Amino acid sequence: MITTMMDLTNRLLQMQLLSAIGTVAFAFSGYLIGVRKRLDLLGIVIVSLLTAIGGGMIRDVLISRIPAVFFDYTNLGIITATLFVSWLAGLHRREGSTVTRLFILADSLGLVAFSLTGAEAGLTLGLNAFGVVLLGFVTAVGGGVVRDMMVNDIPFILHQDFYGTVSILVASGLFLMDW
């Protein structure tokens, strides 16, 4: 019983860490897109916020859960800190391949982190493989789809096949490891 509680506690801490990593990564990618699209400050904040929490909110609605961001300020603090550090680093004044590489890195990191946290939510609910993979996928790509639609771009998953495939593979891998 004690071992089971310790395992559950460790798993919860790992998911909280992954959630924080994904939130930072997607807030940062939203910031970079907002700057690239020359949005004003409020536009950058909104795009960053929805990129970072959009997929988790969609997942929570699918599983009939009120999104945690409505109760807990942790993610809002993480997003605020990420935006502030990005602004301090002067990323709004940079252009070119460095910013593109930073975007790809941040978006990839967020994709993997949120694929895992979404899949873990499905495992916790005892869902089948389809449910686990779908929750991992929606959590990982939902915020990016919202971001892309807000800035009038075709969502990344509709023209970058490998992007969505990575999420499906990561969520499937977690399901298989748990099984």
Side-chain angles (χ1 to χ4, degrees):
M1 179 71 172
I2 292 174
T3 305
T4 306
M5 288 298 286
M6 289 176 60
D7 290 342
L8 185 60
T9 302
N10 285 337
R11 205 165 175 167
L12 181 61
L13 289 172
Q14 289 170 348
M15 288 305 121
Q16 287 175 334
L17 177 61
L18 282 172
S19 179
I21 289 169
T23 301
V24 167
F26 276 172
F28 183 66
S29 75
Y31 173 86
L32 294 174
I33 290 291
V35 167
R36 182 184 307 159
K37 293 290 187 171
R38 300 188 191 289
L39 302 180
D40 66 5
L41 179 61
L42 182 60
I44 292 170
V45 170
I46 290 170
V47 168
S48 296
L49 177 71
L50 291 177
T51 304
I53 65 170
M57 289 181 72
I58 295 167
R59 175 205 59 225
D60 288 346
V61 167
L62 285 173
I63 60 176
S64 299
R65 182 168 73 185
I66 296 174
V69 73
F70 293 161
F71 298 107
D72 182 13
Y73 291 108
T74 303
N75 283 335
L76 297 176
I78 290 170
I79 293 165
T80 302
T82 301
L83 295 177
F84 185 69
V85 169
S86 298
W87 178 77
L88 278 179
L91 294 174
H92 55 282
R93 292 184 295 240
R94 296 193 180 149
E95 293 183 23
S97 63
T98 301
V99 173
T100 301
R101 282 193 295 265
L102 286 173
F103 171 78
I104 291 170
L105 178 66
D107 220 42
S108 300
L109 187 60
L111 179 81
V112 171
F114 281 152
S115 294
L116 290 170
T117 60
E120 179 63 27
L123 290 172
T124 301
L125 292 170
L127 301 181
N128 65 15
F130 178 76
V132 169
V133 172
L134 181 68
L135 287 184
F137 181 78
V138 165
T139 306
V141 304
V145 168
V146 171
R147 173 199 66 213
D148 292 344
M149 288 174 27
M150 286 191 68
V151 298
N152 207 25
D153 284 343
I154 296 172
F156 214 57
I157 62 164
L158 297 180
H159 63 89
Q160 296 291 329
D161 293 338
F162 192 67
Y163 190 80
T165 304
V166 168
S167 177
I168 291 168
L169 291 173
V170 168
S172 297
L174 185 64
F175 179 82
L176 290 173
M177 287 183 356
D178 186 72
W179 187 49

